[in-house]
Amino acid sequence: MSPSISILNQPHPPALEPFRVAVPPVVTRLLHHPDYFPIRTWSRIFKSDSGEDGYFASTLASPLTIPHVCTLRRQPELLAPLPDTAPVWPAPNSVSRIENPDLYLVLQLATPGVSGHPSTAHGGLLATCIDEAMSYAVALHAPETGAAGALSAHHPRGMLYTAQLDIRYRAPVAVPGYALVQAKVLARVGRKFWVHAQILQPGEAAEDPLRVTTDAFAFWLQTKAAL
């Protein structure tokens, strides 16, 4: 199956519809950024035959949890070639803003379904969203991972797994509200991938910039078909 028909490569404008109104201006600008286009969010499609993605497509897809998600991927011709040497794992107290992410997840977060502390998103929920964004970013750089050895519309993230996830919680994520997860693959060595992701949240005022609330690094592994 050709990568050109993958769900990760097909623009899906209906994904923008839930974000047409009452969205912070900084989020609206991103949704219409020329370097990105919306695609279907694979994990929001429940696979009834296997139960796959029940967590993100059912448990976290309700008016009280994450009502709406929009996935924005970078234009294919703009994806940067990956270095073939492992990056240095940063110190816990360091933070650098991701430039030109491979992918964004735009999330509408509700309450009380995702709350830990009052009006604050649970850290486990944030880890889930980071992991989802990372999975798509890795898949963009590993088109051979899908069914039958090609990036497939039926299983675009096949054989990709999180091996290590390091999360630094820097500020609370307020709910209800909107949040952006940005993810970028830093390097690839064979079947190994290193990924950086951040959760950003806009301030209350229209002129407030996005702030980094959560910073994460991960090591991903592409397994062999026999696994």
Side-chain angles (χ1 to χ4, degrees):
M1 183 173 289
S2 169
S4 63
I5 62 173
S6 165
I7 193 173
L8 299 180
N9 290 326
Q10 290 297 298
H12 187 64
L16 299 174
E17 289 302 323
F19 300 91
R20 296 291 187 189
V21 296
V23 178
V26 65
V27 176
T28 299
R29 290 193 294 271
L30 174 62
L31 291 170
H32 300 284
H33 196 292
D35 291 350
Y36 296 86
F37 62 86
I39 59 174
R40 294 190 72 183
T41 304
W42 173 254
S43 59
R44 294 285 278 197
I45 305 170
F46 179 60
K47 292 77 177 175
S48 58
D49 57 337
S50 65
E52 182 184 0
D53 288 320
Y55 182 41
F56 212 68
S58 297
T59 304
L60 296 181
S62 77
L64 298 180
T65 55
I66 306 179
H68 301 292
V69 177
C70 179
T71 301
L72 300 171
R73 64 150 296 170
R74 194 160 175 82
Q75 298 283 355
E77 66 274 12
L78 298 179
L79 289 178
L82 296 179
D84 58 1
T85 56
V88 176
W89 206 267
N93 61 349
S94 66
V95 58
S96 58
R97 187 73 168 263
I98 296 174
E99 299 292 337
N100 302 319
D102 296 333
L103 180 135
Y104 287 97
L105 285 187
V106 184
L107 305 167
Q108 182 186 18
L109 301 177
T111 190
V114 302
S115 295
H117 292 292
S119 303
T120 304
H122 192 287
L125 179 279
L126 301 179
T128 293
C129 296
I130 285 172
D131 192 69
E132 288 299 316
M134 285 182 167
S135 73
Y136 297 123
V138 174
L140 294 179
H141 292 276
E144 66 275 23
T145 61
L151 184 59
S152 167
H154 300 293
H155 211 296
R157 299 180 302 167
M159 300 186 293
L160 292 172
Y161 299 93
T162 315
Q164 181 179 349
L165 179 60
D166 181 4
I167 301 179
R168 299 93 186 267
Y169 297 101
R170 301 190 176 278
V173 174
V175 293
Y178 293 90
L180 305 174
V181 188
Q182 55 181 8
K184 185 170 186 175
V185 180
L186 302 178
R188 175 181 185 174
V189 180
R191 295 185 291 111
K192 302 173 183 178
F193 297 83
W194 287 263
V195 194
H196 187 191
Q198 294 172 329
I199 295 180
L200 311 176
Q201 191 164 47
E204 295 181 359
E207 64 276 9
D208 288 345
L210 291 166
R211 63 189 180 110
V212 176
T213 67
T214 316
D215 200 31
F217 292 84
F219 171 67
W220 280 70
L221 184 64
Q222 175 189 348
T223 63
K224 297 181 179 179
L227 183 65

